[in-house]
Amino acid sequence: MSPKLEIARHRLRLAHETLEEADVLMAAHRRRGALNRLYYAAFYAARALLATRELDSARHSGVIALFQQHFVKTDLVAADVARTLPRAFQSRQTSDYADAAELDEEVVLEVRRDVGAFIAACERVVGQLIEGDTDDGGH
């Protein structure tokens, strides 16, 4: 398997680990921390796809823009699923930096559902690329 696909698989593992961290925080009613981990789970999944094209950015907005350009506009990831990344980013920004008194549990559960679907979509694309990499002898 090519190095870029190995990096993609590693980042998908990070996405799943971070999603599990979010679940632990949600169970402990730590919604602010859960939103943070949910965003990062989606972020790692997006960076997994970017790795397949040897792309990355030092800025979160850059990752989001590259993801949109290379995977949404090319119809590899559905636009409705892809909206999860900027929405999760905005939720994290609001929860991390706003002086909100209490975060709505329903909002956190909705973000959790959407991030799970986002990671699954990214995994499907990486899986297709890995299959294609294997089909040509790994070159």
Side-chain angles (χ1 to χ4, degrees):
M1 183 179 311
S2 69
K4 63 186 178 183
L5 292 177
E6 285 292 338
I7 292 168
R9 288 179 58 152
H10 168 72
R11 290 177 179 172
L12 284 173
R13 282 191 299 275
L14 285 176
H16 281 285
E17 288 173 12
T18 307
L19 190 61
E20 289 174 13
E21 291 170 5
D23 290 340
V24 169
L25 289 165
M26 288 170 63
H29 305 287
R30 303 289 190 216
R31 295 182 191 124
R32 191 173 319 280
L35 279 174
N36 179 285
R37 302 322 294 153
L38 288 168
Y39 165 67
Y40 275 98
F43 178 75
Y44 296 142
R47 288 188 67 229
L49 283 185
L50 292 179
T52 67
R53 301 275 171 91
E54 298 179 333
L55 298 169
D56 206 358
S57 175
R59 300 179 55 83
H60 290 259
S61 60
V63 168
I64 293 168
L66 287 169
F67 183 82
Q68 293 290 324
Q69 178 183 353
H70 292 275
F71 295 96
V72 181
K73 289 184 179 177
T74 59
D75 293 325
L76 289 170
V77 176
D80 61 325
V81 173
R83 284 187 200 100
T84 297
L85 183 60
R87 285 181 183 161
F89 177 71
Q90 185 58 48
S91 294
R92 182 197 65 104
Q93 291 285 96
T94 300
S95 72
D96 281 356
Y97 301 110
D99 293 325
E102 187 63 35
L103 298 169
D104 185 358
E105 183 177 13
E106 290 303 313
V107 169
V108 179
L109 290 172
E110 180 180 324
V111 172
R112 168 58 176 90
R113 182 198 69 226
D114 292 348
V115 167
F118 181 83
I119 292 170
C122 291
E123 260 182 328
R124 278 191 297 277
V125 174
V126 169
Q128 292 166 355
L129 295 170
I130 288 172
E131 286 176 16
D133 191 55
T134 303
D135 291 344
D136 70 358
H139 302 310

